[in-house]
Amino acid sequence: MNLGLWIAAGVLAVVALSGGLVKSFVPKEKLAGLNGAGWTQAFGPGFVKTLGVLELLAALGLILPAALGVAPVLVPVTAVCWVALMVGAMITHGRLGEAGLVVLNLFYLALAVFVAWGRFGPESFAG
């Protein structure tokens, strides 16, 4: 189970890192042309960049606390925050009729729930 939790957290961290880098450093106008990024037209550039920074922080929070042994409770807390982010993403993509992206976000949400449940519960770093 521990290995599965590390893999799930790693997958989420890679997704968060890649999404965060794109949203943080690619101009909003160029983002709108990317597949699945049409949602950016409905939001300001500051909001998009803020989401990118939050995703970068999530990538760090899913791995580093446990890997370094410093405040490892931040791993499941970050996973819960990722759940909230995915709910928002699902609502946004659903409103835009992007069913495929809703399903993808649902998969990420399920991974985050698994990490939160596992790290708060049976495979907690505290005990």
Side-chain angles (χ1 to χ4, degrees):
M1 167 104 96
N2 187 45
L3 178 61
L5 289 165
W6 274 105
I7 291 170
V11 167
L12 289 176
V14 168
V15 168
L17 181 64
S18 62
L21 287 172
V22 169
K23 288 178 190 85
S24 296
F25 298 110
V26 174
K28 180 186 154 192
E29 296 74 31
K30 288 187 180 180
L31 268 180
L34 297 176
N35 187 24
W39 63 270
T40 58
Q41 295 295 58
F43 299 97
F47 180 81
V48 175
K49 291 206 181 298
T50 299
L51 278 180
V53 170
L54 290 174
E55 288 183 14
L56 291 173
L57 291 173
L60 296 174
L62 286 164
I63 302 297
L64 285 183
L68 299 176
V70 177
V73 73
L74 290 177
V75 173
V77 169
T78 302
V80 170
C81 293
W82 187 260
V83 167
L85 188 66
M86 289 302 99
V87 168
M90 289 168 51
I91 290 169
T92 300
H93 291 300
R95 287 181 178 168
L96 296 172
E98 300 170 334
L101 292 174
V102 171
V103 172
L104 182 62
N105 292 139
L106 183 60
F107 173 72
Y108 297 149
L109 183 143
L111 283 179
V113 166
F114 174 64
V115 171
W117 168 79
R119 292 305 184 201
F120 274 132
E123 290 290 333
S124 171
F125 291 116

